[in-house]
Amino acid sequence: MRRFFLTIAVMMALLSSARATTKGLSQIVTPELQNAGDLSLSFQAQSERIANPYELQAEMGLTSWAEFAIFRGFKPDDWIFSTEFGLLTKEPYLLSVGFLNWSPHLDVDPQPYIEAGYYTEHQKFIVGAIHAGYKNEAILGYAYDFNRTWRVQIDWLSGAENSLTIGFTCNISRDFQMNPALYINNGPGHDLFGYVVFSYTFHLWGKTGGKELEKSEK
């Protein structure tokens, strides 16, 4: 574990920063991919009723159509792997497939999914499905980007153990973003749970996405 923290610290100290845009919702995967060469490092804290209460994440864009992510959970001790592959990657129409939540350490099988998106400059619509364990679950999401700094978002994953989430994303800088959210459980009690994630993005190679930022400022 010390090596993992040391690796992240060294990367944050040595890598040069560049631009990043608001991305992602709270509960669901989204159909747009991480830019090729972009590495996002995140710290995530959440209620134990949602998932592992403290997690680190590294998300890496490999190409224009492929990315992978690794989660490091601490309670319980866990490593979780996810992937995403873009079948349609040119906005406004997006279509992606992949798998989530594969944990060889805890003997949890990967959960395959498919998602479609319709993305305009300000509004993002997401619909899809995921196979988790023995059942299929529906995915719905909506986000509104006011500008390059602020996004409000709502997403829903079917199943009594899942939730409706309401939150926002704030780009504190063009590389550092914060995403707090409130989870409303789908079960009978509709219990409320808290969640927050902080992310910093580095650009190791490829384009910085400046055109997208310039467009969002208009």
Side-chain angles (χ1 to χ4, degrees), residues 18-24 32-35 38 40 59 91 119 121 124 145 147-151 153 169-178 199-203 207-217:
R19 296 183 173 186
T21 58
T22 52
K23 60 184 179 62
E32 79 275 23
L33 273 69
Q34 184 95 320
N35 290 334
D38 282 6
S40 292
E59 181 182 2
E91 297 180 4
Y119 277 39
E121 180 179 349
K124 277 73 179 171
D145 290 340
N147 47 46
R148 69 180 186 186
T149 302
W150 293 102
R151 162 183 286 185
Q153 54 209 39
T169 295
C170 174
N171 265 13
I172 299 171
S173 72
R174 295 189 179 187
D175 301 306
F176 181 51
Q177 72 173 203
M178 172 184 66
S199 299
Y200 200 96
T201 300
F202 303 98
H203 297 260
K207 299 179 180 179
T208 65
K211 292 182 179 179
E212 286 78 4
L213 278 173
E214 292 172 4
K215 183 186 298 184
S216 68
E217 291 175 325

mmCIF file of all heavy atoms in Angstrom, residues 18-24 32-35 38 40 59 91 119 121 124 145 147-151 153 169-178 199-203 207-217:
data_model
loop_
_atom_site.group_PDB
_atom_site.id
_atom_site.type_symbol
_atom_site.label_atom_id
_atom_site.label_comp_id
_atom_site.label_asym_id
_atom_site.label_seq_id
_atom_site.Cartn_x
_atom_site.Cartn_y
_atom_site.Cartn_z
ATOM 1 N N ALA A 18 -2.248 20.026 -17.589
ATOM 2 C CA ALA A 18 -2.806 20.659 -18.778
ATOM 3 C C ALA A 18 -4.283 20.876 -18.530
ATOM 4 O O ALA A 18 -4.704 21.008 -17.401
ATOM 5 C CB ALA A 18 -2.539 19.791 -19.999
ATOM 6 N N ARG A 19 -5.079 20.883 -19.598
ATOM 7 C CA ARG A 19 -6.484 21.214 -19.451
ATOM 8 C C ARG A 19 -7.336 19.976 -19.254
ATOM 9 O O ARG A 19 -7.003 18.896 -19.718
ATOM 10 C CB ARG A 19 -6.959 21.963 -20.686
ATOM 11 C CG ARG A 19 -6.262 23.313 -20.875
ATOM 12 C CD ARG A 19 -6.831 24.037 -22.061
ATOM 13 N NE ARG A 19 -6.316 25.389 -22.166
ATOM 14 C CZ ARG A 19 -6.740 26.267 -23.053
ATOM 15 N NH1 ARG A 19 -7.680 25.935 -23.908
ATOM 16 N NH2 ARG A 19 -6.244 27.486 -23.094
ATOM 17 N N ALA A 20 -8.478 20.174 -18.590
ATOM 18 C CA ALA A 20 -9.460 19.104 -18.455
ATOM 19 C C ALA A 20 -10.836 19.739 -18.458
ATOM 20 O O ALA A 20 -11.001 20.900 -18.099
ATOM 21 C CB ALA A 20 -9.248 18.339 -17.154
ATOM 22 N N THR A 21 -11.833 19.004 -18.878
ATOM 23 C CA THR A 21 -13.210 19.488 -18.873
ATOM 24 C C THR A 21 -14.018 18.721 -17.841
ATOM 25 O O THR A 21 -13.588 17.681 -17.335
ATOM 26 C CB THR A 21 -13.860 19.294 -20.257
ATOM 27 O OG1 THR A 21 -13.799 17.905 -20.600
ATOM 28 C CG2 THR A 21 -13.122 20.086 -21.310
ATOM 29 N N THR A 22 -15.206 19.243 -17.506
ATOM 30 C CA THR A 22 -16.079 18.492 -16.608
ATOM 31 C C THR A 22 -16.430 17.165 -17.252
ATOM 32 O O THR A 22 -16.626 17.061 -18.457
ATOM 33 C CB THR A 22 -17.371 19.277 -16.339
ATOM 34 O OG1 THR A 22 -17.955 19.656 -17.578
ATOM 35 C CG2 THR A 22 -17.102 20.505 -15.514
ATOM 36 N N LYS A 23 -16.480 16.105 -16.442
ATOM 37 C CA LYS A 23 -16.763 14.778 -17.005
ATOM 38 C C LYS A 23 -17.355 13.899 -15.910
ATOM 39 O O LYS A 23 -17.128 14.106 -14.736
ATOM 40 C CB LYS A 23 -15.493 14.132 -17.550
ATOM 41 C CG LYS A 23 -14.379 13.922 -16.538
ATOM 42 C CD LYS A 23 -13.143 13.374 -17.211
ATOM 43 C CE LYS A 23 -12.003 13.179 -16.237
ATOM 44 N NZ LYS A 23 -12.287 12.218 -15.176
ATOM 45 N N GLY A 24 -18.109 12.907 -16.337
ATOM 46 C CA GLY A 24 -18.597 11.912 -15.413
ATOM 47 C C GLY A 24 -19.831 12.334 -14.637
ATOM 48 O O GLY A 24 -20.077 13.512 -14.421
ATOM 49 N N GLU A 32 -18.900 8.727 -22.923
ATOM 50 C CA GLU A 32 -17.727 9.381 -23.492
ATOM 51 C C GLU A 32 -16.466 8.800 -22.851
ATOM 52 O O GLU A 32 -16.484 8.369 -21.693
ATOM 53 C CB GLU A 32 -17.780 10.895 -23.320
ATOM 54 C CG GLU A 32 -17.406 11.420 -21.943
ATOM 55 C CD GLU A 32 -18.550 11.423 -20.973
ATOM 56 O OE1 GLU A 32 -19.505 10.655 -21.173
ATOM 57 O OE2 GLU A 32 -18.483 12.180 -19.988
ATOM 58 N N LEU A 33 -15.367 8.766 -23.606
ATOM 59 C CA LEU A 33 -14.135 8.164 -23.128
ATOM 60 C C LEU A 33 -13.132 9.222 -22.690
ATOM 61 O O LEU A 33 -13.159 10.363 -23.159
ATOM 62 C CB LEU A 33 -13.494 7.292 -24.211
ATOM 63 C CG LEU A 33 -13.977 5.830 -24.275
ATOM 64 C CD1 LEU A 33 -15.416 5.749 -24.763
ATOM 65 C CD2 LEU A 33 -13.056 4.998 -25.154
ATOM 66 N N GLN A 34 -12.260 8.810 -21.794
ATOM 67 C CA GLN A 34 -11.120 9.635 -21.420
ATOM 68 C C GLN A 34 -10.256 9.876 -22.655
ATOM 69 O O GLN A 34 -10.044 8.967 -23.456
ATOM 70 C CB GLN A 34 -10.301 8.876 -20.363
ATOM 71 C CG GLN A 34 -9.137 9.641 -19.791
ATOM 72 C CD GLN A 34 -9.502 10.324 -18.499
ATOM 73 O OE1 GLN A 34 -10.595 10.866 -18.372
ATOM 74 N NE2 GLN A 34 -8.607 10.308 -17.544
ATOM 75 N N ASN A 35 -9.783 11.114 -22.837
ATOM 76 C CA ASN A 35 -8.923 11.406 -23.981
ATOM 77 C C ASN A 35 -7.657 10.549 -23.949
ATOM 78 O O ASN A 35 -7.111 10.264 -22.878
ATOM 79 C CB ASN A 35 -8.518 12.884 -23.987
ATOM 80 C CG ASN A 35 -9.674 13.797 -24.317
ATOM 81 O OD1 ASN A 35 -10.623 13.400 -24.990
ATOM 82 N ND2 ASN A 35 -9.616 15.025 -23.840
ATOM 83 N N ASP A 38 -4.627 10.880 -21.399
ATOM 84 C CA ASP A 38 -5.039 11.535 -20.161
ATOM 85 C C ASP A 38 -5.067 10.537 -19.010
ATOM 86 O O ASP A 38 -5.638 9.448 -19.123
ATOM 87 C CB ASP A 38 -6.426 12.149 -20.307
ATOM 88 C CG ASP A 38 -6.400 13.456 -21.070
ATOM 89 O OD1 ASP A 38 -5.317 13.809 -21.583
ATOM 90 O OD2 ASP A 38 -7.458 14.113 -21.163
ATOM 91 N N SER A 40 -6.292 10.404 -15.042
ATOM 92 C CA SER A 40 -6.999 11.052 -13.935
ATOM 93 C C SER A 40 -6.770 10.249 -12.659
ATOM 94 O O SER A 40 -6.999 9.040 -12.627
ATOM 95 C CB SER A 40 -8.500 11.136 -14.220
ATOM 96 O OG SER A 40 -8.769 12.021 -15.290
ATOM 97 N N GLU A 59 -7.590 6.440 -13.789
ATOM 98 C CA GLU A 59 -8.314 6.235 -15.049
ATOM 99 C C GLU A 59 -7.436 6.722 -16.200
ATOM 100 O O GLU A 59 -7.000 7.870 -16.204
ATOM 101 C CB GLU A 59 -9.627 7.000 -15.023
ATOM 102 C CG GLU A 59 -10.471 6.827 -16.282
ATOM 103 C CD GLU A 59 -11.753 7.646 -16.221
ATOM 104 O OE1 GLU A 59 -11.949 8.369 -15.229
ATOM 105 O OE2 GLU A 59 -12.547 7.575 -17.169
ATOM 106 N N GLU A 91 -19.423 12.987 -31.088
ATOM 107 C CA GLU A 91 -20.649 13.626 -30.603
ATOM 108 C C GLU A 91 -21.420 14.253 -31.760
ATOM 109 O O GLU A 91 -20.828 14.645 -32.755
ATOM 110 C CB GLU A 91 -20.279 14.691 -29.553
ATOM 111 C CG GLU A 91 -19.617 14.094 -28.329
ATOM 112 C CD GLU A 91 -19.252 15.149 -27.293
ATOM 113 O OE1 GLU A 91 -19.596 16.333 -27.499
ATOM 114 O OE2 GLU A 91 -18.626 14.789 -26.287
ATOM 115 N N TYR A 119 -25.089 13.854 -26.779
ATOM 116 C CA TYR A 119 -24.382 14.946 -26.126
ATOM 117 C C TYR A 119 -24.445 16.205 -26.982
ATOM 118 O O TYR A 119 -23.975 16.206 -28.124
ATOM 119 C CB TYR A 119 -22.912 14.574 -25.912
ATOM 120 C CG TYR A 119 -22.649 13.752 -24.665
ATOM 121 C CD1 TYR A 119 -23.530 12.761 -24.261
ATOM 122 C CD2 TYR A 119 -21.507 13.959 -23.910
ATOM 123 C CE1 TYR A 119 -23.289 12.001 -23.139
ATOM 124 C CE2 TYR A 119 -21.245 13.211 -22.781
ATOM 125 C CZ TYR A 119 -22.137 12.230 -22.389
ATOM 126 O OH TYR A 119 -21.899 11.477 -21.272
ATOM 127 N N GLU A 121 -23.835 20.694 -26.631
ATOM 128 C CA GLU A 121 -22.887 21.556 -25.929
ATOM 129 C C GLU A 121 -23.206 21.658 -24.444
ATOM 130 O O GLU A 121 -22.308 21.627 -23.603
ATOM 131 C CB GLU A 121 -22.884 22.949 -26.550
ATOM 132 C CG GLU A 121 -21.920 23.911 -25.870
ATOM 133 C CD GLU A 121 -21.918 25.283 -26.518
ATOM 134 O OE1 GLU A 121 -22.508 25.433 -27.619
ATOM 135 O OE2 GLU A 121 -21.332 26.203 -25.930
ATOM 136 N N LYS A 124 -26.587 16.607 -21.781
ATOM 137 C CA LYS A 124 -26.106 15.251 -22.014
ATOM 138 C C LYS A 124 -27.175 14.257 -21.561
ATOM 139 O O LYS A 124 -27.652 14.320 -20.419
ATOM 140 C CB LYS A 124 -24.824 14.977 -21.227
ATOM 141 C CG LYS A 124 -23.547 15.472 -21.885
ATOM 142 C CD LYS A 124 -23.370 16.957 -21.848
ATOM 143 C CE LYS A 124 -22.049 17.366 -22.497
ATOM 144 N NZ LYS A 124 -21.969 18.842 -22.666
ATOM 145 N N ASP A 145 -24.361 21.154 -18.561
ATOM 146 C CA ASP A 145 -23.138 21.931 -18.406
ATOM 147 C C ASP A 145 -23.452 23.416 -18.615
ATOM 148 O O ASP A 145 -23.768 23.836 -19.730
ATOM 149 C CB ASP A 145 -22.085 21.487 -19.424
ATOM 150 C CG ASP A 145 -21.529 20.105 -19.121
ATOM 151 O OD1 ASP A 145 -21.654 19.671 -17.963
ATOM 152 O OD2 ASP A 145 -20.980 19.470 -20.032
ATOM 153 N N ASN A 147 -21.167 25.814 -18.112
ATOM 154 C CA ASN A 147 -19.936 26.310 -18.715
ATOM 155 C C ASN A 147 -18.837 25.302 -18.399
ATOM 156 O O ASN A 147 -19.141 24.188 -17.972
ATOM 157 C CB ASN A 147 -19.581 27.713 -18.170
ATOM 158 C CG ASN A 147 -19.678 27.780 -16.655
ATOM 159 O OD1 ASN A 147 -19.194 26.898 -15.953
ATOM 160 N ND2 ASN A 147 -20.334 28.822 -16.148
ATOM 161 N N ARG A 148 -17.588 25.680 -18.582
ATOM 162 C CA ARG A 148 -16.492 24.737 -18.349
ATOM 163 C C ARG A 148 -16.294 24.443 -16.862
ATOM 164 O O ARG A 148 -15.570 23.507 -16.501
ATOM 165 C CB ARG A 148 -15.194 25.287 -18.920
ATOM 166 C CG ARG A 148 -14.667 26.485 -18.161
ATOM 167 C CD ARG A 148 -13.394 26.997 -18.763
ATOM 168 N NE ARG A 148 -12.828 28.062 -17.944
ATOM 169 C CZ ARG A 148 -11.766 28.770 -18.290
ATOM 170 N NH1 ARG A 148 -11.184 28.520 -19.447
ATOM 171 N NH2 ARG A 148 -11.298 29.715 -17.505
ATOM 172 N N THR A 149 -16.921 25.223 -15.977
ATOM 173 C CA THR A 149 -16.715 25.066 -14.535
ATOM 174 C C THR A 149 -17.828 24.282 -13.857
ATOM 175 O O THR A 149 -17.561 23.431 -13.007
ATOM 176 C CB THR A 149 -16.587 26.444 -13.858
ATOM 177 O OG1 THR A 149 -15.504 27.154 -14.456
ATOM 178 C CG2 THR A 149 -16.335 26.301 -12.365
ATOM 179 N N TRP A 150 -19.091 24.526 -14.224
ATOM 180 C CA TRP A 150 -20.223 23.992 -13.466
ATOM 181 C C TRP A 150 -21.072 23.028 -14.278
ATOM 182 O O TRP A 150 -21.411 23.308 -15.412
ATOM 183 C CB TRP A 150 -21.114 25.130 -12.954
ATOM 184 C CG TRP A 150 -20.442 25.986 -11.936
ATOM 185 C CD1 TRP A 150 -19.895 27.222 -12.142
ATOM 186 C CD2 TRP A 150 -20.237 25.678 -10.556
ATOM 187 N NE1 TRP A 150 -19.368 27.705 -10.969
ATOM 188 C CE2 TRP A 150 -19.568 26.783 -9.971
ATOM 189 C CE3 TRP A 150 -20.561 24.576 -9.754
ATOM 190 C CZ2 TRP A 150 -19.210 26.807 -8.630
ATOM 191 C CZ3 TRP A 150 -20.207 24.611 -8.412
ATOM 192 C CH2 TRP A 150 -19.541 25.720 -7.863
ATOM 193 N N ARG A 151 -21.414 21.926 -13.646
ATOM 194 C CA ARG A 151 -22.338 20.936 -14.206
ATOM 195 C C ARG A 151 -23.264 20.460 -13.098
ATOM 196 O O ARG A 151 -22.830 20.203 -11.970
ATOM 197 C CB ARG A 151 -21.580 19.746 -14.775
ATOM 198 C CG ARG A 151 -22.446 18.499 -14.966
ATOM 199 C CD ARG A 151 -21.671 17.286 -15.460
ATOM 200 N NE ARG A 151 -21.319 17.436 -16.867
ATOM 201 C CZ ARG A 151 -20.731 16.478 -17.576
ATOM 202 N NH1 ARG A 151 -20.415 15.329 -17.014
ATOM 203 N NH2 ARG A 151 -20.451 16.670 -18.851
ATOM 204 N N GLN A 153 -26.163 17.332 -12.341
ATOM 205 C CA GLN A 153 -26.356 16.001 -12.899
ATOM 206 C C GLN A 153 -27.294 15.162 -12.038
ATOM 207 O O GLN A 153 -27.392 15.349 -10.826
ATOM 208 C CB GLN A 153 -25.003 15.296 -13.013
ATOM 209 C CG GLN A 153 -24.227 15.263 -11.717
ATOM 210 C CD GLN A 153 -22.727 15.248 -11.944
ATOM 211 O OE1 GLN A 153 -22.193 15.917 -12.829
ATOM 212 N NE2 GLN A 153 -22.028 14.470 -11.132
ATOM 213 N N THR A 169 -20.839 18.894 -10.482
ATOM 214 C CA THR A 169 -19.394 18.848 -10.682
ATOM 215 C C THR A 169 -18.889 20.274 -10.803
ATOM 216 O O THR A 169 -19.479 21.092 -11.510
ATOM 217 C CB THR A 169 -19.031 18.061 -11.956
ATOM 218 O OG1 THR A 169 -19.417 16.691 -11.778
ATOM 219 C CG2 THR A 169 -17.542 18.120 -12.231
ATOM 220 N N CYS A 170 -17.807 20.551 -10.099
ATOM 221 C CA CYS A 170 -17.163 21.864 -10.169
ATOM 222 C C CYS A 170 -15.717 21.680 -10.587
ATOM 223 O O CYS A 170 -14.970 20.962 -9.915
ATOM 224 C CB CYS A 170 -17.243 22.570 -8.822
ATOM 225 S SG CYS A 170 -16.318 24.135 -8.775
ATOM 226 N N ASN A 171 -15.328 22.285 -11.704
ATOM 227 C CA ASN A 171 -13.923 22.332 -12.081
ATOM 228 C C ASN A 171 -13.271 23.485 -11.336
ATOM 229 O O ASN A 171 -13.383 24.642 -11.745
ATOM 230 C CB ASN A 171 -13.782 22.529 -13.596
ATOM 231 C CG ASN A 171 -13.604 21.216 -14.317
ATOM 232 O OD1 ASN A 171 -13.810 20.148 -13.753
ATOM 233 N ND2 ASN A 171 -13.233 21.282 -15.570
ATOM 234 N N ILE A 172 -12.607 23.188 -10.245
ATOM 235 C CA ILE A 172 -11.930 24.205 -9.456
ATOM 236 C C ILE A 172 -10.829 24.858 -10.287
ATOM 237 O O ILE A 172 -10.570 26.054 -10.193
ATOM 238 C CB ILE A 172 -11.379 23.586 -8.166
ATOM 239 C CG1 ILE A 172 -12.550 23.025 -7.336
ATOM 240 C CG2 ILE A 172 -10.589 24.608 -7.357
ATOM 241 C CD1 ILE A 172 -12.134 22.197 -6.156
ATOM 242 N N SER A 173 -10.159 24.054 -11.092
ATOM 243 C CA SER A 173 -9.260 24.555 -12.128
ATOM 244 C C SER A 173 -9.519 23.706 -13.359
ATOM 245 O O SER A 173 -10.392 22.847 -13.365
ATOM 246 C CB SER A 173 -7.796 24.449 -11.682
ATOM 247 O OG SER A 173 -7.377 23.096 -11.692
ATOM 248 N N ARG A 174 -8.751 23.917 -14.408
ATOM 249 C CA ARG A 174 -8.970 23.130 -15.612
ATOM 250 C C ARG A 174 -8.476 21.694 -15.476
ATOM 251 O O ARG A 174 -8.677 20.876 -16.365
ATOM 252 C CB ARG A 174 -8.312 23.821 -16.809
ATOM 253 C CG ARG A 174 -8.962 25.164 -17.117
ATOM 254 C CD ARG A 174 -8.475 25.736 -18.418
ATOM 255 N NE ARG A 174 -9.117 27.008 -18.694
ATOM 256 C CZ ARG A 174 -8.977 27.679 -19.823
ATOM 257 N NH1 ARG A 174 -8.211 27.196 -20.787
ATOM 258 N NH2 ARG A 174 -9.583 28.825 -20.004
ATOM 259 N N ASP A 175 -7.812 21.406 -14.376
ATOM 260 C CA ASP A 175 -7.320 20.045 -14.146
ATOM 261 C C ASP A 175 -7.907 19.400 -12.896
ATOM 262 O O ASP A 175 -7.904 18.181 -12.785
ATOM 263 C CB ASP A 175 -5.794 20.057 -14.002
ATOM 264 C CG ASP A 175 -5.104 20.616 -15.217
ATOM 265 O OD1 ASP A 175 -5.360 20.116 -16.318
ATOM 266 O OD2 ASP A 175 -4.327 21.574 -15.071
ATOM 267 N N PHE A 176 -8.380 20.190 -11.956
ATOM 268 C CA PHE A 176 -8.818 19.677 -10.661
ATOM 269 C C PHE A 176 -10.315 19.876 -10.526
ATOM 270 O O PHE A 176 -10.820 20.981 -10.658
ATOM 271 C CB PHE A 176 -8.085 20.422 -9.548
ATOM 272 C CG PHE A 176 -8.451 19.952 -8.167
ATOM 273 C CD1 PHE A 176 -8.425 18.608 -7.829
ATOM 274 C CD2 PHE A 176 -8.822 20.872 -7.188
ATOM 275 C CE1 PHE A 176 -8.746 18.176 -6.558
ATOM 276 C CE2 PHE A 176 -9.154 20.460 -5.917
ATOM 277 C CZ PHE A 176 -9.108 19.111 -5.595
ATOM 278 N N GLN A 177 -11.032 18.769 -10.262
ATOM 279 C CA GLN A 177 -12.488 18.865 -10.153
ATOM 280 C C GLN A 177 -12.998 18.161 -8.908
ATOM 281 O O GLN A 177 -12.359 17.252 -8.359
ATOM 282 C CB GLN A 177 -13.174 18.297 -11.389
ATOM 283 C CG GLN A 177 -13.122 16.791 -11.536
ATOM 284 C CD GLN A 177 -13.965 16.297 -12.694
ATOM 285 O OE1 GLN A 177 -14.373 15.138 -12.703
ATOM 286 N NE2 GLN A 177 -14.220 17.142 -13.686
ATOM 287 N N MET A 178 -14.173 18.610 -8.466
ATOM 288 C CA MET A 178 -14.842 18.073 -7.295
ATOM 289 C C MET A 178 -16.265 17.695 -7.680
ATOM 290 O O MET A 178 -16.939 18.424 -8.394
ATOM 291 C CB MET A 178 -14.866 19.127 -6.177
ATOM 292 C CG MET A 178 -15.714 18.744 -4.974
ATOM 293 S SD MET A 178 -15.804 20.076 -3.740
ATOM 294 C CE MET A 178 -16.718 21.316 -4.669
ATOM 295 N N SER A 199 -10.777 14.803 -8.267
ATOM 296 C CA SER A 199 -9.983 14.248 -9.372
ATOM 297 C C SER A 199 -8.998 15.288 -9.904
ATOM 298 O O SER A 199 -9.315 16.479 -9.974
ATOM 299 C CB SER A 199 -10.884 13.792 -10.525
ATOM 300 O OG SER A 199 -11.765 12.778 -10.105
ATOM 301 N N TYR A 200 -7.829 14.801 -10.270
ATOM 302 C CA TYR A 200 -6.833 15.643 -10.938
ATOM 303 C C TYR A 200 -6.390 14.927 -12.200
ATOM 304 O O TYR A 200 -6.103 13.728 -12.169
ATOM 305 C CB TYR A 200 -5.627 15.907 -10.033
ATOM 306 C CG TYR A 200 -4.831 17.112 -10.473
ATOM 307 C CD1 TYR A 200 -5.048 18.359 -9.900
ATOM 308 C CD2 TYR A 200 -3.879 17.013 -11.480
ATOM 309 C CE1 TYR A 200 -4.336 19.478 -10.305
ATOM 310 C CE2 TYR A 200 -3.166 18.123 -11.892
ATOM 311 C CZ TYR A 200 -3.393 19.350 -11.300
ATOM 312 O OH TYR A 200 -2.690 20.452 -11.715
ATOM 313 N N THR A 201 -6.358 15.648 -13.318
ATOM 314 C CA THR A 201 -6.056 15.053 -14.613
ATOM 315 C C THR A 201 -4.713 15.548 -15.135
ATOM 316 O O THR A 201 -4.434 16.745 -15.125
ATOM 317 C CB THR A 201 -7.156 15.379 -15.637
ATOM 318 O OG1 THR A 201 -8.402 14.856 -15.168
ATOM 319 C CG2 THR A 201 -6.831 14.748 -16.994
ATOM 320 N N PHE A 202 -3.896 14.604 -15.591
ATOM 321 C CA PHE A 202 -2.618 14.889 -16.239
ATOM 322 C C PHE A 202 -2.708 14.484 -17.706
ATOM 323 O O PHE A 202 -3.400 13.512 -18.034
ATOM 324 C CB PHE A 202 -1.482 14.103 -15.581
ATOM 325 C CG PHE A 202 -1.337 14.363 -14.120
ATOM 326 C CD1 PHE A 202 -1.898 13.495 -13.189
ATOM 327 C CD2 PHE A 202 -0.635 15.457 -13.654
ATOM 328 C CE1 PHE A 202 -1.758 13.721 -11.838
ATOM 329 C CE2 PHE A 202 -0.491 15.692 -12.304
ATOM 330 C CZ PHE A 202 -1.056 14.828 -11.390
ATOM 331 N N HIS A 203 -1.996 15.186 -18.563
ATOM 332 C CA HIS A 203 -1.956 14.860 -19.986
ATOM 333 C C HIS A 203 -0.561 14.344 -20.332
ATOM 334 O O HIS A 203 0.388 15.112 -20.414
ATOM 335 C CB HIS A 203 -2.316 16.084 -20.835
ATOM 336 C CG HIS A 203 -3.722 16.558 -20.594
ATOM 337 N ND1 HIS A 203 -4.769 16.248 -21.433
ATOM 338 C CD2 HIS A 203 -4.250 17.281 -19.579
ATOM 339 C CE1 HIS A 203 -5.883 16.780 -20.949
ATOM 340 N NE2 HIS A 203 -5.574 17.418 -19.834
ATOM 341 N N LYS A 207 -3.531 15.340 -27.511
ATOM 342 C CA LYS A 207 -4.068 16.685 -27.455
ATOM 343 C C LYS A 207 -4.622 16.988 -26.083
ATOM 344 O O LYS A 207 -5.057 16.101 -25.361
ATOM 345 C CB LYS A 207 -5.153 16.871 -28.529
ATOM 346 C CG LYS A 207 -4.632 16.675 -29.949
ATOM 347 C CD LYS A 207 -5.742 16.849 -30.963
ATOM 348 C CE LYS A 207 -5.223 16.658 -32.392
ATOM 349 N NZ LYS A 207 -6.304 16.812 -33.397
ATOM 350 N N THR A 208 -4.674 18.265 -25.745
ATOM 351 C CA THR A 208 -5.119 18.673 -24.407
ATOM 352 C C THR A 208 -6.605 18.924 -24.311
ATOM 353 O O THR A 208 -7.128 19.158 -23.239
ATOM 354 C CB THR A 208 -4.393 19.962 -23.971
ATOM 355 O OG1 THR A 208 -4.787 21.026 -24.852
ATOM 356 C CG2 THR A 208 -2.892 19.778 -24.041
ATOM 357 N N GLY A 209 -7.305 18.917 -25.440
ATOM 358 C CA GLY A 209 -8.747 19.182 -25.383
ATOM 359 C C GLY A 209 -9.076 20.650 -25.295
ATOM 360 O O GLY A 209 -10.168 21.026 -24.892
ATOM 361 N N GLY A 210 -8.132 21.518 -25.672
ATOM 362 C CA GLY A 210 -8.386 22.948 -25.584
ATOM 363 C C GLY A 210 -9.550 23.403 -26.436
ATOM 364 O O GLY A 210 -10.274 24.317 -26.076
ATOM 365 N N LYS A 211 -9.769 22.759 -27.595
ATOM 366 C CA LYS A 211 -10.879 23.152 -28.453
ATOM 367 C C LYS A 211 -12.212 22.943 -27.752
ATOM 368 O O LYS A 211 -13.117 23.751 -27.868
ATOM 369 C CB LYS A 211 -10.829 22.345 -29.752
ATOM 370 C CG LYS A 211 -9.636 22.699 -30.639
ATOM 371 C CD LYS A 211 -9.675 21.913 -31.926
ATOM 372 C CE LYS A 211 -8.508 22.274 -32.831
ATOM 373 N NZ LYS A 211 -8.515 21.497 -34.084
ATOM 374 N N GLU A 212 -12.320 21.839 -27.011
ATOM 375 C CA GLU A 212 -13.569 21.581 -26.307
ATOM 376 C C GLU A 212 -13.814 22.646 -25.255
ATOM 377 O O GLU A 212 -14.934 23.091 -25.024
ATOM 378 C CB GLU A 212 -13.541 20.194 -25.657
ATOM 379 C CG GLU A 212 -13.694 19.040 -26.637
ATOM 380 C CD GLU A 212 -12.400 18.749 -27.394
ATOM 381 O OE1 GLU A 212 -11.367 19.395 -27.091
ATOM 382 O OE2 GLU A 212 -12.429 17.886 -28.290
ATOM 383 N N LEU A 213 -12.748 23.071 -24.572
ATOM 384 C CA LEU A 213 -12.897 24.091 -23.550
ATOM 385 C C LEU A 213 -13.297 25.421 -24.161
ATOM 386 O O LEU A 213 -14.157 26.129 -23.649
ATOM 387 C CB LEU A 213 -11.565 24.255 -22.792
ATOM 388 C CG LEU A 213 -11.324 23.228 -21.680
ATOM 389 C CD1 LEU A 213 -9.921 23.387 -21.145
ATOM 390 C CD2 LEU A 213 -12.330 23.405 -20.577
ATOM 391 N N GLU A 214 -12.665 25.772 -25.270
ATOM 392 C CA GLU A 214 -12.999 27.024 -25.933
ATOM 393 C C GLU A 214 -14.452 27.028 -26.369
ATOM 394 O O GLU A 214 -15.164 28.020 -26.253
ATOM 395 C CB GLU A 214 -12.076 27.231 -27.128
ATOM 396 C CG GLU A 214 -10.619 27.492 -26.732
ATOM 397 C CD GLU A 214 -9.701 27.492 -27.932
ATOM 398 O OE1 GLU A 214 -10.231 27.370 -29.054
ATOM 399 O OE2 GLU A 214 -8.479 27.604 -27.753
ATOM 400 N N LYS A 215 -14.930 25.882 -26.840
ATOM 401 C CA LYS A 215 -16.329 25.782 -27.271
ATOM 402 C C LYS A 215 -17.273 25.967 -26.098
ATOM 403 O O LYS A 215 -18.297 26.634 -26.208
ATOM 404 C CB LYS A 215 -16.570 24.421 -27.944
ATOM 405 C CG LYS A 215 -17.967 24.252 -28.499
ATOM 406 C CD LYS A 215 -18.181 22.845 -29.009
ATOM 407 C CE LYS A 215 -17.247 22.515 -30.148
ATOM 408 N NZ LYS A 215 -17.516 21.178 -30.715
ATOM 409 N N SER A 216 -16.920 25.365 -24.951
ATOM 410 C CA SER A 216 -17.808 25.437 -23.774
ATOM 411 C C SER A 216 -17.867 26.840 -23.191
ATOM 412 O O SER A 216 -18.787 27.173 -22.453
ATOM 413 C CB SER A 216 -17.343 24.459 -22.701
ATOM 414 O OG SER A 216 -16.100 24.863 -22.166
ATOM 415 N N GLU A 217 -16.853 27.671 -23.497
ATOM 416 C CA GLU A 217 -16.854 29.025 -22.982
ATOM 417 C C GLU A 217 -17.769 29.959 -23.751
ATOM 418 O O GLU A 217 -18.114 31.030 -23.302
ATOM 419 C CB GLU A 217 -15.417 29.583 -23.010
ATOM 420 C CG GLU A 217 -14.495 28.899 -21.999
ATOM 421 C CD GLU A 217 -13.072 29.396 -22.143
ATOM 422 O OE1 GLU A 217 -12.653 29.680 -23.284
ATOM 423 O OE2 GLU A 217 -12.375 29.508 -21.132
#
